[in-house]
Amino acid sequence: PFGPLPTTPPTAATPAPAVEPAAAPEPTAAPTPWPDFEVHTSSLLQHRLGSWSSIDVHATNRGDEAREALVAVLFEGGKRQYSRRFWVPARGSRSTWLPIEVPRQATAQGGLEFTTLVLDPDAEKEVLTRTGEGLTSSAYLRVSDDAIRSLLLLPKPLLRPTPREAEALEDWPGVLAAVRANRGLNPSSPTFSPDFLPPWHMALDGVDVALMVTDRFVHDAAGLAALRGWVRDGGRLWIALDAVSPETLATIVGHDARLDVIDRVELDRFRVEARDGETGAEGSDEIDVEVPIGMLRVATSHRDVPVRVDGWPAAIWIPCGQGDVLVTTLGPRGWLAADGTTSSAAARVIGARLLAGRPDRLDPGRLRGPLEAQIGYATPSRWTAGTILGGFCAALVGAAWMWRRRHTVDRLAWFVPAASAVAAAVVGWLGWSSSRNVAPTVAAVDMVRLAPATGEALVDGAAALFDRQSRPIDWAGRDRHWVVPDPSQASSGERFAWLDDDDQSTFNTSTHAGSVERLRVRGAEALGPGIVARGTFGPEGLAGRLDTGTLASPRDAVVVGLPGPALAVRLGADGAFSAGTDDVLDEGQYNPDAILADDARWRQEATRRLLESPEAFAASSGRPGADPPAGVAGALALRRRPWLACWCDARAQRGWELPEGFLERRSTLALVPLELDRTPPATPFRIPSTFLVPRLGTGTQGKSMAFDTRRGEWVRGLTSPTDTLLRFELPPSVLPCRLDRGRLSIRMNAPARSVEIGVVRDGVPALVRRIEEPTGLYEIDLGPDDLGLADGAVQVSVSVSPTAAEAAARQRGEKDAFSAAVSDDSVMSTWEIDHVRLAVDGHTLEGTP
C-alpha cells in the first residue's frame, strides 16, 4: 500500500544502463464491487404447517442516502405474497420481521421452498431491485412435524459467562429435553437467538411451549407485549425464576403475579413433593448432591402449587387468559434424576400438564353462519308499512265521506277492491325491489378478551362481506391488527404488506360479484386499567360491578366458562350486576327472556355457536359425523374460570376500518374475567350451581369412568352399572364456611334400572334418595347434615344399578353377566345422565380474614 522505495538517480560518471522496454501486463478483471443495497431473508427456527410464523429480514445500505425497501416472499405454488416495507438509514443496517402464513402442505422433504423479491416501493410500477447476483433468491424454510413444539429463550452466549449464566445456557435446555423425552416427544427444541421478539403474538401461533431463562427481552416492550398476547391466547410459558427477575414476571402477568421473593438458598439435601390437582399425577424425589442447588424461597397466594421443597413452593401455575404461566424456583439440576439426563419425578408431574398440548381455543370462524345470515335484503320498515296502511284507510274514509254527501255510496263497491289492489301492489313492489337490491354489506363481530391484570385486550373477530359487483378493495389493519381474507377465495397476486408503523395492508384483493367473502381479524390493543368485573356472593346470590371503560351499552350479560350452565346476569346502567340461583339457564340458552327480538335472537345464536362443544357444533352445522378440528372446544377454551360475557355496540377504538360504500352491521362480544372477592365473615351467601364445579372423587372402587371431568359432562350411551363420587368444590372466596341448605338437581333417563343418590356425612356414605326407573328432572333438598365439607367440597354419590336380568345373572355366579342376559331386552337399554347440579346456601364463619 505504500508503493516502491525511492532509488538514487543516475550521475554522469556512471551512465545509466540501458533498459529494455518491459512487456505490457495482461489486463486483469476488476473485482466485483459490493452492491449499494443488500437484503437477506433467513430463519433458523422450525415452523409448523398451516400456522402463522415469521422470518428474519436483514438489509444493508452502503449508499450515502437513506432508502426504503419492499421485501416480498412467495411460496412455491402459492397465490399470496407476504411483504415488509421498511426504511434503512444511509451507510447502516437494519433487521426486522416479516410475518408469513406457512402453507399447509410441504413441497420438499423437511422444508418449504420460498422466493424472495426486493421491489422499489417508490416506482409507479412494480420494479425488481438487484440486491446481489440476481433479481430473486430462493431458500428453504425448515418445517417441524412435532406434535408439541417448544422454544428456548436463553441468554446470549458470552465468552466468560458467570456460573449462573453458564447454568442457564447448559443445564436448562437439558431439563426441557428430558421432560420432552419422558412424554415421548422429540427432545430437541430450537433456541431463539435474535435480540428482539416478533411484535405480534399471532406470529408465534406455531409454538406451544416456551422456556424463558433470561432477562434479555426486558427492554423489548413490543416483544414482551406479543409474548403476553401469545400466553393469553393459549400458550404455555415456563419461567425459571432462579434465572429471571420477578420484574420480568410482573411485566408478563401483571398484578396476577402475587409472588414475593423471601431469599435465595443453596440446598444439598432435600425432599421434593409433587402432586398436580388437574392431571392427578404424583411423585416425590429425595435429592442428595455434593454441589448445592440454588433455590428461591417465595411466598404466594396462588393455590395451584403442584411442587414443593420442604414446604416451600417450587412450581406455581398462574392462569393467564386462555393460557398458563409455570413459575419454578428450583435450579435446573433439581429437576433431573441422579443420572443427570432424565427427568425427576417432580419434572414428570409438571411436564404432564406443560406438554399436554396447546389448550383449546375459541374459534370466531364458527360465527360465519350467523354473520352471513345478516346479509340480505331489508324488509320494509314499520314506518313505511304504517304509511301505506294509513293512506289506504284515509282513502277509504275520504271516499266514503265524499260519496255519502253526494248520495253515491254505492261507488264504494268498486273503490274498496281497487284501493286494496293498489295498496297490495305498492307493498309487493317494495318487497320485489328490496329482494332484487341487496346492498353491499359487511357484517362483522369483534370478540374482545380483556386482561385486567395488564390493561390489554386480545381482538379476534370474523367478518362476512357481500357485493353485487366485482371490484378492487384493499383492507387495512392498524396498530398491530391483521385483516386476513379467507385463503380459499384468494386470487393470484394478492399481497399482504406490513409497514414500519405496524399497520398492515392488502393489495390486489377484490370482491367477487354475488358471492360472500370471509375475513379473519386478529390483534391486540392496550385499553388501560378500568375494565374489570368483580363480584361477591351474598344473601341473594352473586352481586358486583362491571367497570365498562370503553365498552358502550353492554347487554345480554351472562357468566360462562365453567363446565356447566350459563348464568343470566341482570346488568344495570351504572355497571352494577346481580344473579341468583333462579337465573341458571338451560343448555344452549344465553338470554333469559322468553320472547326475543331479532337482534337478541341473533346474539344468542352467535354465542351458542361460539361456545358449544365440537360435537354439538358439527351436528348443528349439518355434519354430525365430521371430525371436530383439533384445539377448538367451545366453552372449554375459557379454561374453567368464570367470565362475564356481554354484547356491546361497535367500539370507538377499532383496529381495522370498513371500506366505503358498504352497509355496516357490526357488533362486539366482550369477555371479561370475573374476579370473586371474599365474602365478609359471618355473612350469609347463596351460590348458584354455575359456580359449583363437579370433579371426580375416589370412591370405594376408584374413580368412575362415567363422568368426564375435563368437559364436566357425563358419558353418553352407557350400558354398565356404575358408582360415581362427585366433589362439588366451593369457591375459595367463601371458605371457611358452614352450609345451611342445598338443592341437588338431576336430569336422567335410566329405564329398567334404579338410581341411588347419596352424600357423605362425617366421612360415612348415606343414602338420600332411591329412584326406580328414573326419567326426567329430579330435585332433592339437602339439609345441613347432608352438606358436610371435605377439603372445601360437598361429596355426592350417584349409583346406577344393573338391570334385573343382569342382577339375576350375577346372583347365579355367572362371570359375564351382560352376555348371559343378552336375551333380555332390558339389559341392552342404555342409560344417560344429562347433568347433576348443586346450589347451596350458607354463611361464612366469624373471625376469618
Side-chain angles (χ1 to χ4, degrees), residues 211-426:
L211 172 59
M212 188 173 188
V213 201
T214 179
D215 281 324
R216 67 184 176 96
F217 302 109
V218 68
H219 300 298
D220 182 10
L224 286 181
L227 190 63
R228 288 195 299 268
W230 169 76
V231 175
R232 296 191 182 280
D233 200 30
R236 286 192 168 105
L237 178 63
W238 181 355
I239 296 180
L241 203 61
D242 65 306
V244 178
S245 66
E247 290 74 19
T248 301
L249 172 64
T251 302
I252 295 174
V253 300
H255 58 68
D256 279 345
R258 306 205 309 264
L259 183 147
D260 295 317
V261 177
I262 306 300
D263 58 10
R264 182 184 292 271
V265 296
E266 300 288 330
L267 305 175
D268 57 0
R269 182 179 298 176
F270 55 94
R271 179 178 177 83
V272 183
E273 296 285 350
R275 185 181 183 281
D276 193 300
E278 182 172 307
T279 63
E282 298 181 359
S284 63
D285 299 286
E286 296 286 348
I287 297 181
D288 188 353
V289 294
E290 295 182 0
V291 180
I293 299 174
M295 178 182 175
L296 284 180
R297 294 196 295 190
V298 301
T300 180
S301 59
H302 287 287
R303 302 180 67 206
D304 198 350
V305 182
V307 183
R308 295 181 181 271
V309 172
D310 298 334
W312 290 92
I316 306 165
W317 284 105
I318 301 177
C320 189
Q322 293 176 246
D324 296 288
V325 174
L326 172 65
V327 179
T328 57
T329 61
L330 186 62
R333 289 184 292 118
W335 302 102
L336 295 174
D339 59 7
T341 58
T342 59
S343 58
S344 65
R348 292 193 292 271
V349 169
I350 62 174
R353 193 197 305 190
L354 181 72
L355 300 174
R358 194 165 185 177
D360 302 313
R361 57 184 173 82
L362 292 176
D363 183 15
R366 291 185 170 190
L367 301 179
R368 289 175 178 173
L371 286 175
E372 292 175 6
Q374 286 203 320
I375 297 176
Y377 62 87
T379 57
S381 64
R382 295 180 180 179
W383 184 88
T384 302
T387 301
I388 296 174
L389 179 61
F392 171 73
C393 294
L396 290 182
V397 172
W401 178 79
M402 180 182 64
W403 286 328
R404 183 175 179 276
R405 294 186 60 186
R406 297 180 180 179
H407 304 286
T408 56
V409 181
D410 57 319
R411 296 181 180 181
L412 289 176
W414 61 265
F415 181 79
V416 172
S420 301
V422 171
V426 172

Side-chain angles (χ1 to χ4, degrees), residues 37 101 120 152 157 189 351 361 397 457 489 547 600 620 686 755:
F37 193 76
E101 186 175 19
D120 184 357
L152 290 167
S189 299
R361 57 184 173 82
V397 172
Q489 299 169 319
D547 294 330
S620 62
R686 176 170 291 178
V755 177

Side-chain angles (χ1 to χ4, degrees), residues 162-232:
T162 64
R164 189 173 300 171
E165 291 170 339
E167 186 179 56
L169 285 169
E170 298 173 5
D171 294 346
W172 275 114
V175 173
L176 183 58
V179 174
R180 288 181 60 88
N182 179 71
R183 301 292 298 175
L185 301 171
N186 181 2
S188 64
S189 299
T191 300
F192 187 88
S193 57
D195 295 325
F196 298 95
L197 293 164
W200 315 276
H201 74 273
M202 300 80 78
L204 298 173
D205 277 354
V207 178
D208 303 303
V209 176
L211 172 59
M212 188 173 188
V213 201
T214 179
D215 281 324
R216 67 184 176 96
F217 302 109
V218 68
H219 300 298
D220 182 10
L224 286 181
L227 190 63
R228 288 195 299 268
W230 169 76
V231 175
R232 296 191 182 280

Side-chain angles (χ1 to χ4, degrees), residues 668-744:
T668 299
L669 174 61
L671 292 168
V672 188
L674 178 58
E675 302 292 339
L676 297 175
D677 294 329
R678 180 170 291 278
T679 304
T683 302
F685 61 80
R686 176 170 291 178
I687 303 178
S689 59
T690 300
F691 294 93
L692 292 175
V693 178
R695 296 181 182 271
L696 272 178
T698 303
T700 57
Q701 300 179 1
K703 292 187 177 181
S704 171
M705 301 298 293
F707 184 77
D708 187 348
T709 302
R710 177 178 173 272
R711 304 181 62 170
E713 298 177 353
W714 289 82
V715 179
R716 299 289 182 176
L718 294 176
T719 57
S720 301
T722 185
D723 292 324
T724 304
L725 181 64
L726 298 177
R727 291 173 46 86
F728 290 90
E729 298 183 352
L730 270 66
S733 59
V734 300
L735 297 176
C737 66
R738 177 176 175 80
L739 300 181
D740 301 324
R741 67 181 64 87
R743 170 160 291 188
L744 193 65

Side-chain angles (χ1 to χ4, degrees), residues 369-376 441 443-444 599 602 665-667:
L371 286 175
E372 292 175 6
Q374 286 203 320
I375 297 176
T441 307
D599 289 345
W602 180 89
R665 293 177 178 173
R666 195 163 184 171
S667 303

Side-chain angles (χ1 to χ4, degrees), residues 496-514:
F496 295 168
W498 283 265
L499 310 180
D500 268 347
D501 56 2
D502 288 326
D503 286 355
Q504 176 250 348
S505 300
T506 65
F507 297 95
N508 302 327
T509 52
S510 61
T511 62
H512 298 80

Side-chain angles (χ1 to χ4, degrees), residues 466-471 510-517:
F466 175 82
D467 198 356
R468 297 190 305 271
Q469 59 182 347
S470 298
R471 54 175 162 172
S510 61
T511 62
H512 298 80
S515 64
V516 177
E517 316 284 335

Side-chain angles (χ1 to χ4, degrees), residues 58 90 117 185 206 240 369 432 519 634:
H58 182 77
L117 315 173
L185 301 171
W432 177 83
L519 304 170

